[in-house]
Amino acid sequence: MNHTVYLRPMTIADTSKIVTWRNKDFVRENFIYQELFTEEGHLAWIKNQVEPGHVVQFIICLEDGREIGSVYFRDIDREHKTAEYGIFIGEEDAIGCGYGTQTARLALEYAFDTMGLEKVFLRFLEENTGARISYEHAGFRLIENKAESVSLQQGECRVLFMEIDRNIWKSIKI
């Protein structure tokens, strides 16, 4: 498969870019955690989550080198070989171009082949249909009868869950 995106490891130098992206309204409104990001908070995230290995985070780059967002695995459980997947596209003109699906495929390849995970799951707000379609295209499947409600700035929202395991991923990998 020909990818028009590639992933590079996130570094401390990406802090201001990530804070800017995550504070954009169109990004925040699709996250369960909607508080404004700060550089101090992101640096604490790196120190307390990334450096000890609880999180692996990448910057999403286009072929021409333009950086458009970030993808990460959090709450990595090395004993049970699971992690939660998260992504955000921080450049509005890059939404709806298929970059999220390509990113998910690259990230899942890393999760299963490099990290040795057996299952990856994610949470998303039910009304974020674009994300759901992207996740489904990457191979994630809805976990039936698993949902929760959260109270956000836009009101009460349902959170749905999806997952993919190594065997399913291997069977659909192109």
Side-chain angles (χ1 to χ4, degrees):
M1 167 176 242
N2 192 10
H3 293 289
T4 56
V5 303
Y6 66 92
L7 306 179
R8 69 157 178 82
M10 180 206 59
T11 68
I12 287 175
D14 296 311
T15 296
S16 63
K17 185 176 15 218
I18 287 177
V19 169
T20 299
W21 286 332
R22 274 293 273 117
N23 286 338
K24 291 182 178 181
D25 288 340
F26 74 90
V27 174
R28 278 188 339 146
E29 69 190 14
N30 287 310
F31 263 76
I32 297 166
Y33 181 80
Q34 296 187 340
E35 301 303 314
L36 286 173
F37 266 40
T38 64
E39 289 202 10
E40 296 77 18
H42 186 70
L43 292 172
W45 165 265
I46 292 171
K47 181 180 181 197
N48 299 323
Q49 298 296 319
V50 177
E51 288 176 0
H54 307 304
V55 170
V56 173
Q57 189 163 357
F58 299 96
I59 298 296
I60 305 164
C61 305
L62 301 184
E63 282 177 318
D64 64 5
R66 181 178 174 218
E67 298 167 336
I68 61 167
S70 185
V71 62
Y72 54 90
F73 295 101
R74 59 174 285 164
D75 299 327
I76 299 168
D77 183 334
R78 299 190 192 284
E79 182 182 343
H80 295 101
K81 299 184 178 186
T82 62
E84 181 175 354
Y85 176 85
I87 183 174
F88 57 89
I89 305 288
E91 299 297 333
E92 200 161 14
D93 65 336
I95 294 173
C97 300
Y99 301 139
T101 300
Q102 289 180 43
T103 297
R105 289 178 178 152
L106 289 172
L108 289 171
E109 183 173 353
Y110 184 86
F112 294 126
D113 288 351
T114 302
M115 295 173 67
L117 298 181
E118 291 295 329
K119 185 175 285 193
V120 174
F121 66 94
L122 61 83
R123 300 174 291 163
F124 69 100
L125 299 177
E126 182 176 37
E127 59 269 9
N128 191 351
T129 54
R132 179 178 179 162
I133 291 166
S134 177
Y135 300 146
E136 287 173 343
H137 285 163
F140 284 95
R141 296 294 171 248
L142 196 64
I143 302 173
E144 297 295 331
N145 303 315
K146 184 170 183 177
E148 57 187 42
S149 289
V150 293
S151 185
L152 300 175
Q153 292 172 344
Q154 61 263 45
E156 200 69 20
C157 297
R158 277 178 35 102
V159 176
L160 301 179
F161 294 77
M162 299 180 94
E163 67 183 3
I164 185 170
D165 68 37
R166 172 191 292 276
N167 291 331
I168 297 293
W169 176 76
K170 283 176 118 174
S171 73
I172 62 172
K173 186 177 159 190
I174 298 171

